Amino acid sequence: MKTVIWLALFFGTFSFMEFMAWFTHKYIMHGFLWSLHQDHHKKDHDSWFERNDAFFVFYAVVSMVLFYLGAQTSFWYGWPLGFGILAYGIAYFLVHDIFIHQRFKLFRNANHWYAKGVRRAHKMHHKHLGKGDGECFGMLIVPFKYFKNKS
């Protein structure tokens, strides 16, 4: 029974992180912490790192705190919660930083319908250079209109 709860917490956390990514992106990154996120939209710097990477660090710290609590206290739920956040962070890094923004030159020729739709949605998000008027704030779940067959 504990394994079922562990897996439910892990997959539930992973799924909830898509909502958190959307919420954080729309209301925090494009809101009061735009100063950290704007260098991701406006490439006016020569650094490989962006101030925007601070959001990744925040969620990594949350995950590590949950691992610590799972290991050092009776809060065993910290393990599946921490691993759910970690797994989403890895997926986000692979999709957003490697596949879409090509921070590492991998997956350049991905031609799958899902890959094309996610890339198309993110491209529409980045056509807006300012804080407002954005669209497509999610990462792994995007509106169906971006999956339509376009040449």
Side-chain angles (χ1 to χ4, degrees):
M1 183 63 171
K2 190 173 181 179
T3 303
V4 172
I5 294 171
W6 201 101
L7 290 171
L9 285 170
F10 170 79
F11 287 112
T13 301
F14 182 92
S15 300
F16 183 70
M17 285 305 295
E18 176 66 11
F19 166 76
M20 286 304 298
W22 171 84
F23 181 87
T24 302
H25 194 182
K26 183 169 182 155
Y27 295 107
I28 296 175
M29 293 177 178
H30 281 258
F32 67 94
L33 288 180
W34 173 249
S35 60
L36 291 178
H37 185 61
Q38 71 183 1
D39 69 338
H40 180 65
H41 283 265
K42 299 175 186 173
K43 297 290 185 194
D44 56 359
H45 58 86
D46 294 327
S47 176
W48 186 82
F49 291 101
E50 301 173 343
R51 289 184 304 274
N52 183 64
D53 294 332
F55 296 104
F56 169 79
V57 172
F58 169 79
Y59 283 111
V61 168
V62 171
S63 182
M64 288 186 283
V65 167
L66 288 166
F67 289 144
Y68 176 81
L69 291 173
Q72 301 297 322
T73 71
S74 61
F75 186 70
W76 66 266
Y77 301 103
W79 288 107
L81 297 173
F83 276 115
I85 294 170
L86 172 64
Y88 187 84
I90 291 168
Y92 192 96
F93 180 74
L94 289 171
V95 172
H96 182 262
D97 291 308
I98 294 179
F99 173 66
I100 293 174
H101 288 291
Q102 292 290 302
R103 284 176 98 169
F104 298 100
K105 306 302 180 200
L106 302 169
F107 310 124
R108 296 186 108 176
N109 299 320
N111 206 19
H112 188 267
W113 65 270
Y114 176 76
K116 286 180 179 179
V118 168
R119 184 177 272 160
R120 203 175 285 128
H122 202 74
K123 183 177 182 178
M124 292 306 295
H125 175 75
H126 274 272
K127 82 175 188 174
H128 304 285
L129 298 178
K131 180 178 175 179
D133 300 323
E135 59 183 285
C136 298
F137 293 95
M139 177 49 49
L140 300 176
I141 300 172
V142 298
F144 289 117
K145 68 182 181 180
Y146 297 107
F147 296 110
K148 292 180 182 171
N149 190 7
K150 296 180 181 178
S151 299

